[in-house]
Amino acid sequence: MPGLSSASLSRGLLALFLAQLSSSYAGQFRVLGPGQPLRALVGDAVELPCRISPGRNASGMEVGWYRPPFSRVVHLYRHGRDQDTEQAPEYRGRTELLKEAIGEGRVTLRIRNVRFADEGGFTCFFRDHSYQEEAAMELRVEDPFYWVSPGVLVLIAVLPVLLLQISVGLVYLWLQHRLRGKLRAEIENLHRTFGQFLEEL
């Protein structure tokens, strides 16, 4: 009887150990972000993708983005809902978590109305109970006119003034031509009048 109890105890401990090991292993995953810097234009929207590998349902996990080095919360998803109150003020009303593929462990953060201040590093994380992994990514923000050379910008700024000056010059020449024609006609009229006056004398 004692031997049977000892064997049962050993089997129970082994089963518990295997269950804990399996549970611990099941909680392990990696977080993957984009492999290269993301680019966005000022005023546009940008999407920051993030996923866990191997893929699994992450709807019950805590998912978020923050900005180093002071861990400012960009967006936080916890207990199945977005936690807007914990966002940094500069991101309130500008972010949206796209969760269509969260059942496969894939989410995307959309940031609207991109600003120059958004440029730099972001960190995405997934937390399952006490286990957490994260991935870093970089956003580069560009001016919509970054491709235009300074010379072209100067030309764009000066061109309206040049067109105005040319228009004024053309109007002036046209008026001068008309006035010159009228003046010539007046002089000829005076000559005729004066000639007639001399003949009458």
Side-chain angles (χ1 to χ4, degrees):
M1 190 70 164
L4 183 61
S5 297
S6 178
S8 298
L9 183 61
S10 297
R11 281 197 300 273
L13 289 173
L14 180 60
L16 181 62
F17 173 75
L18 289 175
Q20 287 180 339
L21 183 63
S22 175
S23 175
S24 175
Y25 177 75
Q28 307 300 305
F29 53 81
R30 292 183 303 141
V31 175
L32 305 174
Q36 55 189 3
L38 299 165
R39 297 179 181 274
L41 297 178
V42 171
D44 281 357
V46 66
E47 295 186 353
L48 282 59
C50 197
R51 64 185 177 90
I52 55 175
S53 178
R56 52 186 269 200
N57 191 345
S59 58
M61 296 186 188
E62 182 176 332
V63 184
W65 274 259
Y66 67 87
R67 299 206 63 182
F70 304 114
S71 300
R72 289 171 300 160
V73 175
V74 178
H75 196 97
L76 183 63
Y77 172 85
R78 182 195 293 149
H79 304 311
R81 57 182 297 182
D82 297 313
Q83 306 293 324
D84 301 337
T85 57
E86 300 192 35
Q87 277 185 305
E90 62 267 30
Y91 288 103
R92 284 181 190 160
R94 290 203 298 133
T95 64
E96 178 186 2
L97 185 63
L98 307 180
K99 304 182 282 285
E100 290 83 359
I102 197 169
E104 303 166 8
R106 292 186 288 115
V107 292
T108 299
L109 178 68
R110 176 182 291 157
I111 301 176
R112 295 182 293 272
N113 191 21
V114 171
R115 307 168 181 172
F116 278 118
D118 295 327
E119 180 164 289
F122 288 78
T123 300
C124 163
F125 71 87
F126 283 75
R127 180 181 296 133
D128 187 12
H129 301 292
S130 61
Y131 184 78
Q132 175 176 322
E133 286 290 341
E134 54 189 37
M137 58 193 73
E138 183 182 355
L139 175 62
R140 294 179 183 172
V141 179
E142 298 169 340
D143 190 284
F145 299 104
Y146 75 97
W147 51 270
V148 182
S149 67
V152 174
L153 288 175
V154 171
L155 181 61
I156 291 172
V158 171
L159 191 59
V161 178
L162 288 175
L163 290 174
L164 180 61
Q165 288 181 340
I166 291 170
S167 300
V168 170
L170 290 173
V171 170
Y172 173 76
L173 290 174
W174 179 74
L175 289 174
Q176 191 178 39
H177 177 71
R178 288 199 62 183
L179 289 173
R180 187 177 297 162
K182 285 186 178 181
L183 183 61
R184 187 182 297 114
E186 290 293 332
I187 292 172
E188 289 176 355
N189 190 33
L190 282 173
H191 274 290
R192 281 195 301 271
T193 304
F194 186 69
Q196 291 174 356
F197 175 74
L198 289 177
E199 287 176 0
E200 289 176 357
L201 287 177

